[in-house]
Every structure is written in structure tokens, then in C-alpha cells.
Amino acid sequence: MNKYMPFFLCLLLASIITISTRSAPNPNHINTYPNLPAPIGEERILITSAGQAPESTIISNIADNLNLEMDYRPRALATDLYDYQSLIIVIGFSANGMLHTPRSLSDEMKRTKQLVEEAAIQDVPIILVNLVGKHREDPNSMKLFQAAVPYANYYIGIKQMENKENVLATLRSYKIPATLVHQLKDISVPLNSAFR
């Protein structure tokens, strides 16, 4: 019996170390999924932009290719939500895109806040999409993200971004499930999973 004692002690010690490292909570953990395990939204979908970046057109085209019943209104107002069961907001500030609207950045922030607040009142699920990668990130996109994220139900974004840690920390604080993709072509699966 004594000759097996060192073996059992080593086995016990290894088990204790394994259990303690697995059970320790990871403060950086966020619920990331390749796609949602169950749909959160319903069709008819309103797709709009927060910041007037051209990526909102890309999401509209992807949703169309997925045969989702949707309307694309880049400058949608809170009053437009009456006819929709879900809201997709594409985050991304574009100075060029803003030139084609009669709005300033503060007007766009106000429109975005009113839109998400009205969606929350009507219990319309909000999916935030952020396709602005590290080459086009700017503080205005982050301001728009911060305005919309408290109301979001799901987030889809690009992995390669400079503010990734700030974005993940914010999503974690609001307990918002997220899918981070490597490339734009990978958006279809998580977007579809939000509705089907």
C-alpha cells in the first residue's frame, strides 16, 4: 500500500489543480458564439445605419440574399418602427455618408438613441452590426456604439479592430451575446441565426 501512496498523492494533487483552474471565473469571458443557439428576432426587419457608413448597404444585400423579409432605411426614425418586429443597426461613422444627410453627428446620435429607446419600449429585438475594421475605426463610431449598446440583444462584429478590448468589455458589462467574425463573408451565418 505504501508503494502506491506517492502515485495517489500525485493524482490527487493533479485533480485539485485541474479543478481549481477550471472553476476560477475568467473576468475577460464574454458569451461569444459562431452563431446564436436560438433565434431572437422575427421578420419583418428594419435595417438602418448609425453613422451612415456604407457597410449598412452590405448588410442589406446579405439579408436580401438570405431571403429575410426586410426594409433598408439608412435614415430610419423611431416613428418608422411601428411596422417591424426586429431592428438591425449597422454601426459606423462615415464623414462622406453624413454629407449626404441634413444631419450633424449630434443629430445622428439623437436619432440612434431615439430609435433604440423606441425599440426597447415596443420590445423589438435589436441586433448591432459593426463591420468597421481596424483601418476605419474612429471615435465617432465608438460614440454611436456606446449610445446603442445598452439596448442591444445581439452583436455581430469583425475580430480585427483596434478597440476590441473596449468593445468586448462593454458587451460583457451589458451581458450581450456576440459573434466576432474574421471576414465580411462570414456574416451570413450569425445574421441568419438571429432569425431562423
Side-chain angles (χ1 to χ4, degrees):
M1 180 72 175
N2 284 340
K3 68 179 183 176
Y4 296 113
M5 189 60 84
F7 172 75
F8 286 122
L9 286 174
C10 288
L11 185 62
L12 179 65
L13 184 60
S15 298
I16 291 171
I17 290 171
T18 302
I19 290 169
S20 65
T21 56
R22 284 189 181 168
S23 62
N26 180 357
N28 295 322
H29 174 73
I30 182 169
N31 288 331
T32 56
Y33 304 95
N35 51 274
L36 285 177
I40 59 163
E42 296 178 25
E43 300 175 61
R44 189 159 179 220
I45 307 159
L46 174 61
I47 300 176
T48 192
S49 172
Q52 303 304 311
E55 286 84 0
S56 56
T57 308
I58 295 168
I59 292 300
S60 172
N61 289 335
I62 290 171
D64 193 40
N65 289 337
L66 292 170
N67 295 314
L68 294 173
E69 186 182 347
M70 59 81 190
D71 289 323
Y72 171 54
R73 295 175 154 182
R75 298 180 233 1
L77 301 172
T79 54
D80 295 326
L81 273 174
Y82 67 92
D83 203 21
Y84 298 96
Q85 285 72 47
S86 300
L87 174 64
I88 297 174
I89 300 177
V90 184
I91 304 287
F93 178 78
S94 168
N96 189 37
M98 291 295 291
L99 287 175
H100 299 291
T101 69
R103 294 186 183 101
S104 64
L105 175 61
S106 62
D107 293 334
E108 188 72 354
M109 288 281 292
K110 183 178 178 183
R111 180 185 74 86
T112 301
K113 282 194 96 127
Q114 289 173 342
L115 199 54
V116 294
E117 287 170 355
E118 184 62 28
I121 290 169
Q122 294 187 30
D123 202 24
V124 171
I126 301 169
I127 298 162
L128 291 185
V129 179
N130 186 353
L131 304 179
V132 179
K134 63 181 177 181
H135 302 294
R136 282 200 43 234
E137 282 186 84
D138 70 8
N140 293 330
S141 292
M142 281 304 291
K143 288 177 187 172
L144 291 161
F145 168 78
Q146 294 290 350
V149 76
Y151 302 91
N153 300 95
Y154 182 41
Y155 173 87
I156 304 171
I158 300 287
K159 278 188 180 180
Q160 292 74 32
M161 59 177 134
E162 289 179 13
N163 289 321
K164 183 177 176 180
E165 292 308 315
N166 291 341
V167 168
L168 291 178
T170 304
L171 292 170
R172 194 178 308 113
S173 69
Y174 289 106
K175 296 179 174 52
I176 299 168
T179 297
L180 302 178
V181 298
H182 290 287
Q183 307 174 54
L184 190 57
K185 67 178 185 176
D186 301 329
I187 293 283
S188 294
V189 172
L191 187 62
N192 195 43
S193 76
F195 300 99
R196 298 180 179 144

